[in-house]
Amino acid sequence: MGWLYRVEKNIFPLSQEKINIRKALNEWKYEGEMYDLEVAEETCEICDHPNIRYQFEIVNKFNGNTLLIGSECITKFEIPVLDSNGVRLSSNEAKKKVNRDRRKLVTEAKEKHVIHSLIRLKAIEEEFEIDSFIDYYKKRRAFTPNQLSTLIWRLDKAKVEYNKSNFKVIITKDREKEQLLKMEEWKLKKIWLCLSPSQRKHVEHKI
């Protein structure tokens, strides 16, 4: 069964157009509604591709029918993409918007993962004042080198499951840069996966 057959099978029953696939696809629009399912277990409702985590909602402009699809299908099938004013974007701008929206979902998912890890740590180590770390993260979406070193040590000690690459370091201030430069080698190794390529260049001579 080819991809065209799958698309026609899913699109035609929900569209006014029942013969020309291009005309049918042009009935649909993407306006920015998107969802993170947290688990990649859904199927794209336009091409039947499995293991979809991030769903993007397209709407039929004539009858209001909706489909939840993967981001790649929006650009692959040239489904109209509208801006916040309802104006259709050019092909190039449409790709940019879809990519921005997907990056936003991925970033938000990583940030949610960090918060969940810290909340689990708080439940295990009740004496550890973690609320200030959570508040700081919500404001800056990253930690200072010293903060992160402490958190990684605490998370490992408490055996809390977490993804180290989701934790980010911020060194925009001089004192934060100084913390990173003065950090001991063993601590640097612990937070190495959290550093950006440019941050690693500052201290790679120490590893």
Side-chain angles (χ1 to χ4, degrees):
M1 185 188 298
W3 65 266
L4 182 59
Y5 173 83
R6 293 194 297 270
V7 173
E8 291 177 340
K9 170 181 67 72
N10 293 322
I11 281 288
F12 283 149
L14 299 175
S15 307
Q16 282 193 358
E17 174 62 40
K18 307 296 184 183
I19 299 175
N20 186 301
I21 186 61
R22 183 66 261 161
K23 289 182 179 179
L25 287 169
N26 276 333
E27 292 181 19
W28 297 78
K29 58 185 178 179
Y30 169 66
E31 299 178 291
E33 291 296 320
M34 52 188 181
Y35 312 97
D36 175 14
L37 304 178
E38 299 191 1
V39 179
E41 60 184 13
E42 290 299 324
T43 300
C44 175
E45 294 180 349
I46 193 173
C47 75
D48 293 338
H49 185 79
N51 304 321
I52 296 294
R53 171 174 174 171
Y54 302 108
Q55 290 184 323
F56 294 74
E57 182 183 86
I58 58 173
V59 182
N60 187 286
K61 63 184 179 182
F62 294 128
N63 54 37
N65 287 329
T66 62
L67 287 169
L68 295 173
I69 69 177
S71 61
E72 291 185 5
C73 281
I74 297 176
T75 52
K76 179 178 180 179
F77 301 119
E78 298 180 343
I79 293 170
V81 176
L82 308 186
D83 65 13
S84 57
N85 296 316
V87 177
R88 181 170 180 172
L89 298 173
S90 67
S91 177
N92 188 45
E93 290 301 316
K95 289 179 181 179
K96 289 180 180 179
K97 174 174 172 52
V98 172
N99 288 336
R100 282 197 306 270
D101 288 351
R102 190 179 193 285
R103 285 197 300 269
K104 181 181 178 183
L105 277 181
V106 173
T107 298
E108 289 177 348
K110 290 180 178 180
E111 291 174 351
K112 186 183 296 184
H113 166 87
V114 171
I115 295 294
H116 285 175
S117 297
L118 298 183
I119 291 174
R120 288 196 294 271
L121 178 60
K122 180 180 180 179
I124 296 173
E125 295 199 3
E126 297 179 359
E127 78 287 353
F128 180 43
E129 294 293 333
I130 203 170
D131 287 338
S132 60
F133 287 82
I134 295 176
D135 291 341
Y136 187 93
Y137 181 75
K138 288 180 177 179
K139 292 177 181 177
R140 302 188 73 183
R141 297 295 186 264
F143 297 102
T144 69
N146 285 350
Q147 284 177 329
L148 190 55
S149 177
T150 298
L151 285 174
I152 295 298
W153 175 73
R154 290 274 185 175
L155 288 164
D156 289 341
K157 178 174 175 287
K159 293 182 172 59
V160 173
E161 183 178 346
Y162 69 100
N163 187 332
K164 191 174 290 188
S165 63
N166 289 342
F167 288 73
K168 302 302 178 186
V169 176
I170 190 166
I171 55 169
T172 55
K173 298 177 181 178
D174 288 341
R175 70 171 180 270
E176 294 162 353
K177 295 176 183 177
E178 192 69 12
Q179 286 179 14
L180 191 62
L181 289 171
K182 290 185 175 181
M183 186 167 286
E184 297 167 84
E185 180 183 343
W186 69 272
K187 290 184 178 180
L188 275 177
K189 289 181 177 179
K190 285 285 188 180
I191 69 169
W192 191 253
L193 291 179
C194 308
L195 302 178
S196 68
S198 60
Q199 290 170 342
R200 291 175 184 176
K201 287 182 180 179
H202 283 289
V203 290
E204 61 185 2
H205 63 281
K206 300 180 65 175
I207 298 297

